[in-house]
Amino acid sequence: MPVLPSWLTEPLWDQFWALLPQRPLYHLDHPLRCRRPRISDRIVFDKLLQVLRFGCPYEAIADTTCSASTIRSRRDEWIRLGIFSQLKRIALDSYDRIVGLMLDQIAIDSSLTKAPGGGEVAGRSPVDRGTQGLKRSGMTDGYGIPLGRVLDGANCHDSPLLAPTLDRLAELGPLPDDITVHLDAGYDSNKTRALLDERGLHGRIAHKGEKAPIQASRRWHVERTHAWQNAFHRLSRCYERRAVVIDAFFDLADTIITVRSLIRRSWTTHRWDNRPRRRP
């Protein structure tokens, strides 16, 4: 069974392949002077999708076509080239051009996940018997398209992560003049309101001690996006120790979410050659 349907995997690979540098089939400067052909980038890309989706170790994904060390080395090479961040940027630009990002409504919230192996951005979780955990402060548009995130330890409060999360708006280009930021009661403080006022943003913040359904505002979009991201088991239980690798997997997951939403929302308004027969 494929890790992702072909109508989603193929456009992802086509754009990913276009970003890769041209490499010879054989390693001309191999220290052992061997002539073994280089492992295909498509094979490694499919392996990384399996690692992201199933969350299993690299050794469990490796087989006769590709070893675990090759997956790791090619992953690190693509991270150095910035391929994953470029892919996410292209997906967001395509979504904005075809459907349109709802940047006048922004939702921000944090989510805790397990990090059994610790790492650079892991910390003692206050809600999981003190085990190692990872917190991500995610930002979405009014529909739930992931715009950016900030990673920190599970013992970090949500409020200090608000400012660096809002800084990710600068990467999106021109913004609407009137932006409303939807936050939960964890951000209900004068410091948060002052921060939003300094940036010219309007805040819609839930009040502490007052029960309100999540559907009362647009906060539920970011909660749904957290659920979409946690469906990738490499993110819901993170064994990676380096922050750049975690960010790369998040960028790949956000790209998948964005392209999937793009295909779903444009299915009734656009036609293309490999369009799914049914609305995904």
Side-chain angles (χ1 to χ4, degrees):
M1 181 178 179
V3 61
L4 293 173
S6 60
W7 54 262
L8 183 55
T9 306
E10 294 306 320
L12 283 174
W13 165 247
D14 290 341
Q15 186 57 65
F16 194 90
W17 178 80
L19 296 173
L20 296 177
Q22 296 295 326
R23 297 293 177 85
L25 178 61
Y26 297 96
H27 196 321
L28 302 180
D29 299 325
H30 196 281
L32 299 180
R33 305 292 181 181
C34 62
R35 299 291 291 176
R36 172 179 288 185
R38 190 171 187 265
I39 301 297
S40 170
D41 289 328
R42 178 60 190 269
I43 294 177
V44 181
F45 180 75
D46 289 339
K47 297 293 185 183
L48 283 178
L49 288 180
Q50 294 177 36
V51 171
L52 174 64
R53 180 63 181 87
F54 302 131
C56 47
Y58 296 98
E59 288 75 10
I61 294 296
D63 53 20
T64 56
T65 63
C66 183
S67 66
S69 59
T70 299
I71 299 174
R72 293 191 186 95
S73 62
R74 201 73 60 88
R75 175 206 64 191
D76 293 340
E77 175 187 346
W78 292 342
I79 290 175
R80 288 193 299 269
L81 295 174
I83 302 296
F84 296 102
S85 59
Q86 294 179 50
L87 185 67
K88 180 191 174 184
R89 177 72 262 177
I90 292 173
L92 279 177
D93 290 341
S94 301
Y95 185 94
D96 191 23
R97 185 172 60 253
I98 298 174
V99 178
L101 292 169
M102 299 175 60
L103 297 179
D104 59 331
Q105 304 290 333
I106 301 296
I108 296 177
D109 198 11
S110 297
S111 177
L112 288 175
T113 55
K114 295 178 181 294
E120 298 175 352
V121 290
R124 184 180 176 89
S125 177
V127 296
D128 193 15
R129 305 180 304 281
T131 59
Q132 291 292 301
L134 174 71
K135 173 173 284 190
R136 65 176 182 269
S137 176
M139 177 173 58
T140 68
D141 76 335
Y143 180 75
I145 301 302
L147 303 177
R149 87 208 67 85
V150 173
L151 303 177
D152 209 324
N155 54 347
C156 180
H157 194 269
D158 294 357
S159 297
L161 300 179
L162 179 59
T165 305
L166 289 173
D167 290 340
R168 300 302 177 95
L169 287 174
E171 305 172 2
L172 301 177
L175 298 173
D177 296 331
D178 190 7
I179 300 178
T180 302
V181 182
H182 299 267
L183 303 167
D184 64 13
Y187 301 89
D188 186 16
S189 66
N190 293 330
K191 184 177 180 180
T192 297
R193 293 182 176 85
L195 174 64
L196 295 177
D197 291 339
E198 291 175 2
R199 298 171 179 256
L201 305 174
H202 302 287
R204 188 172 182 184
I205 309 174
H207 297 289
K208 295 179 180 179
E210 296 181 8
K211 293 184 178 180
I214 192 174
Q215 296 85 355
S217 68
R218 292 180 178 268
R219 280 192 300 112
W220 68 272
H221 291 97
V222 68
E223 299 288 351
R224 181 180 64 177
T225 301
H226 282 317
W228 286 343
Q229 292 171 333
N230 288 335
F232 299 96
H233 296 289
R234 197 65 177 183
L235 306 180
S236 62
R237 192 176 181 89
C238 182
Y239 286 93
E240 301 290 350
R241 298 183 58 84
R242 293 189 294 152
V244 292
V245 177
I246 301 174
D247 269 322
F249 275 119
F250 267 107
D251 284 340
L252 184 56
D254 290 350
T255 302
I256 295 172
I257 292 171
T258 303
V259 174
R260 184 176 59 195
S261 299
L262 171 60
I263 294 175
R264 178 176 177 81
R265 300 193 69 184
S266 61
W267 189 86
T268 56
T269 58
H270 293 73
R271 297 292 184 271
W272 59 94
D273 294 338
N274 56 349
R275 174 175 175 267
R277 295 184 178 182
R278 296 181 179 180
R279 185 178 182 182

